[in-house]
Amino acid sequence: MAAGMDFSPPFTRAEGGYSKDNVSARENENPENLDHMKQTTNGKPPRCISVIRHCVSSTKLLQATDVELDIGIIIKKSPLDTNTEFLPVFRSGSCAERGPKQYMEDEHICIDNLTEHLHATADFPSLGAFYGVFDGHGGTDAALFVRNNILRYIIEDSHFPACVEKAIKCAFVKADHAFADDGTLDISSGTTALTALIFGRTLIIANAGDCRAVLGRRGRAIEMSKDHKPNCTSEKLRIEKLGGVVYDGYLNGQLSVARALGDWHMKGPRGSACPLSAEPELQEMHLTEDDEFLIMGCDGLWDVMSSQCAVTMTRKELMLHNDPERCSRELVREALKRNTCDNLTVIVICFSSEPPPRIEIPPTRVRRSISAEGLNLLKGVLDSNS
């Protein structure tokens, strides 16, 4: 990797921005269509970010491989089929809205070409992409810090690129510790973190908290992450084993997530076991031609919408206009109509330059038969009525 890499944010913040290079620019749009998305200016959080942001961009990936079509909402690693000639094209769009809350505390990042963004040399693993959603709480410091540094910690980790999964896990913990060491920030603020890292045909989702990544596969929703809620059975067992308690769905009666970065007022000395964990859970799979798009969103979306509903809506929108940025905006609008109570951040990443094809379901032939006994009985009834 070349020295002096640029890890600067891939887009600036602006209201209604739109850019193929992830650099926001003002979008001309009919204001009547955005009436219900306009924000008030009732104060700002400690380090205020913009209330609404959009971005869209695209890039190509290397060959991916095929998998069998799964039914329903599942979490499953796909088998590899080296005979496929699938060549994905990445097109991403995002939308972030403050919603009914007083402050906007979410952050997100979209990088469709890592090689170009990092000014990487030929020894870089392969062409790839990186996306992230960071749902902050208690202020914006933690979410902004993790957004600006998490990719750098992954790339600089000693396990990268030999073991990318280990590098990602170490990067989350390192970001958590580095945030605590920054004396200029409010270390009592916290954030969940959901990232998607793609190298070649491999997609790796890492999640700590209650953001969610959902893959759209021929109209089917496949959840690529698990919500880390304190009352989740596995999380509750982990919390109680480490001396914590879950009260009314809250970790130690204070926090509605079981994993987060920051929140150092709830954590013990560095390196000690803590009920509030910063370590992410990972899910890896190979993209195929059946995998049409990925939705990444904070809990403000998933609190009012199921994974399958979001996939169905996104696929329908893509078939109409084939624009991932508009899809993300429509998902945000729908969540607002459903009276979400939180900030909203949504990223939609498409894997093809074409809109999703119509799914043709061949009509089934129903063959009916009647036994000889039944036929004789029917004849008898007809004869008696004649």
Side-chain angles (χ1 to χ4, degrees), residues 4-26:
M5 293 180 185
D6 178 17
F7 286 91
S8 59
F11 56 85
T12 56
R13 303 179 185 86
E15 186 175 351
Y18 179 96
S19 170
K20 288 187 176 180
D21 294 322
N22 287 313
V23 180
S24 298
R26 192 163 300 273

Side-chain angles (χ1 to χ4, degrees), residues 254-266:
Q254 301 180 60
L255 198 60
S256 62
V257 292
R259 303 194 189 201
L261 288 74
D263 295 298
W264 277 94
H265 63 292
M266 296 182 62

Side-chain angles (χ1 to χ4, degrees), residues 228-306:
H228 295 135
K229 298 289 190 181
N231 53 8
C232 172
T233 302
S234 59
E235 291 299 304
K236 185 177 181 180
L237 290 174
R238 181 185 62 79
I239 289 169
E240 293 175 345
K241 184 178 180 180
L242 295 173
V245 295
V246 177
Y247 178 75
D248 197 24
Y250 288 80
L251 172 58
N252 291 342
Q254 301 180 60
L255 198 60
S256 62
V257 292
R259 303 194 189 201
L261 288 74
D263 295 298
W264 277 94
H265 63 292
M266 296 182 62
K267 296 178 179 177
R270 181 181 301 182
S272 62
C274 176
L276 180 60
S277 174
E279 183 173 328
E281 284 190 323
L282 272 61
Q283 176 69 25
E284 177 183 340
M285 77 179 310
H286 293 280
L287 294 172
T288 78
E289 59 186 359
D290 285 335
D291 301 322
E292 298 169 331
F293 53 84
L294 180 73
I295 304 171
M296 301 174 67
C298 64
D299 64 323
L301 175 68
W302 308 116
D303 285 346
V304 296
M305 189 179 301
S306 69

Side-chain angles (χ1 to χ4, degrees), residues 39-111:
Q39 77 278 15
T40 58
T41 56
N42 297 328
K44 298 180 179 180
R47 287 168 175 80
C48 183
I49 62 178
S50 62
V51 174
I52 180 170
R53 301 185 294 273
H54 308 289
C55 73
V56 62
S57 51
S58 63
T59 190
K60 291 186 177 181
L61 287 185
L62 298 181
Q63 275 191 338
T65 54
D66 203 3
V67 295
E68 294 180 357
L69 181 62
D70 294 305
I71 303 298
I73 302 176
I74 61 173
I75 301 177
K76 182 179 180 181
K77 188 181 293 186
S78 303
L80 184 64
D81 179 3
T82 57
N83 294 326
T84 183
E85 297 298 330
F86 177 57
L87 185 63
V89 176
F90 270 168
R91 302 180 295 115
S92 65
S94 66
C95 179
E97 163 64 47
R98 188 186 65 190
K101 296 190 72 174
Q102 184 178 6
Y103 303 127
M104 178 60 172
E105 297 176 313
D106 288 358
E107 285 285 347
H108 67 285
I109 185 171
C110 298
I111 304 173

Side-chain angles (χ1 to χ4, degrees), residues 160-171:
F160 183 87
C163 184
V164 178
E165 294 86 350
K166 183 66 174 178
I168 293 174
K169 287 187 176 182
C170 291

Side-chain angles (χ1 to χ4, degrees), residues 56-362:
V56 62
S57 51
S58 63
T59 190
K60 291 186 177 181
L61 287 185
L62 298 181
Q63 275 191 338
T65 54
D66 203 3
V67 295
E68 294 180 357
L69 181 62
D70 294 305
I71 303 298
I73 302 176
I74 61 173
I75 301 177
K76 182 179 180 181
K77 188 181 293 186
S78 303
L80 184 64
D81 179 3
T82 57
N83 294 326
T84 183
E85 297 298 330
F86 177 57
L87 185 63
V89 176
F90 270 168
R91 302 180 295 115
S92 65
S94 66
C95 179
E97 163 64 47
R98 188 186 65 190
K101 296 190 72 174
Q102 184 178 6
Y103 303 127
M104 178 60 172
E105 297 176 313
D106 288 358
E107 285 285 347
H108 67 285
I109 185 171
C110 298
I111 304 173
D112 288 305
N113 191 325
L114 275 179
T115 305
E116 179 180 306
H117 179 80
L118 300 176
H119 306 293
T121 57
D123 60 351
F124 200 71
S126 63
L127 191 63
F130 182 78
Y131 306 92
V133 175
F134 312 98
D135 186 352
H137 48 266
T140 62
D141 282 4
L144 188 60
F145 180 88
V146 176
R147 176 205 181 276
N148 290 339
N149 292 282
I150 189 67
L151 177 60
R152 176 166 60 87
Y153 291 148
I154 294 173
I155 302 300
E156 292 179 352
D157 189 84
S158 60
H159 299 94
F160 183 87
C163 184
V164 178
E165 294 86 350
K166 183 66 174 178
I168 293 174
K169 287 187 176 182
C170 291
F172 270 61
V173 176
K174 183 175 181 179
D176 190 36
H177 292 169
F179 174 68
D181 291 338
D182 194 319
T184 65
L185 302 176
D186 179 8
I187 62 173
S188 65
S189 65
T191 184
T192 65
L194 172 70
T195 64
L197 180 62
I198 303 99
F199 282 118
R201 43 182 193 253
T202 302
L203 167 66
I204 304 174
I205 300 293
N207 182 51
D210 56 1
C211 293
R212 189 186 303 170
V214 180
L215 186 71
R217 176 180 292 167
R218 296 292 185 188
R220 307 287 184 178
I222 302 177
E223 292 183 348
M224 295 295 296
S225 63
K226 182 180 73 174
D227 301 346
H228 295 135
K229 298 289 190 181
N231 53 8
C232 172
T233 302
S234 59
E235 291 299 304
K236 185 177 181 180
L237 290 174
R238 181 185 62 79
I239 289 169
E240 293 175 345
K241 184 178 180 180
L242 295 173
V245 295
V246 177
Y247 178 75
D248 197 24
Y250 288 80
L251 172 58
N252 291 342
Q254 301 180 60
L255 198 60
S256 62
V257 292
R259 303 194 189 201
L261 288 74
D263 295 298
W264 277 94
H265 63 292
M266 296 182 62
K267 296 178 179 177
R270 181 181 301 182
S272 62
C274 176
L276 180 60
S277 174
E279 183 173 328
E281 284 190 323
L282 272 61
Q283 176 69 25
E284 177 183 340
M285 77 179 310
H286 293 280
L287 294 172
T288 78
E289 59 186 359
D290 285 335
D291 301 322
E292 298 169 331
F293 53 84
L294 180 73
I295 304 171
M296 301 174 67
C298 64
D299 64 323
L301 175 68
W302 308 116
D303 285 346
V304 296
M305 189 179 301
S306 69
S307 298
Q308 185 60 56
C309 178
V311 166
T312 300
M313 181 176 174
T314 300
R315 196 175 199 275
K316 180 179 178 181
E317 290 292 323
L318 286 173
M319 291 175 69
L320 290 174
H321 50 68
N322 199 27
D323 185 346
E325 189 269 337
R326 287 180 62 182
C327 289
S328 65
R329 190 164 63 233
E330 288 302 320
L331 288 171
V332 167
R333 283 174 169 163
E334 181 63 24
L336 290 172
K337 290 178 183 178
R338 298 186 181 199
N339 298 317
T340 184
C341 298
D342 206 346
N343 297 149
L344 284 159
T345 298
V346 177
I347 302 174
V348 175
I349 306 124
C350 296
F351 303 139
S352 173
S353 59
E354 300 297 326
R358 291 187 177 275
I359 300 177
E360 298 291 342
I361 302 177

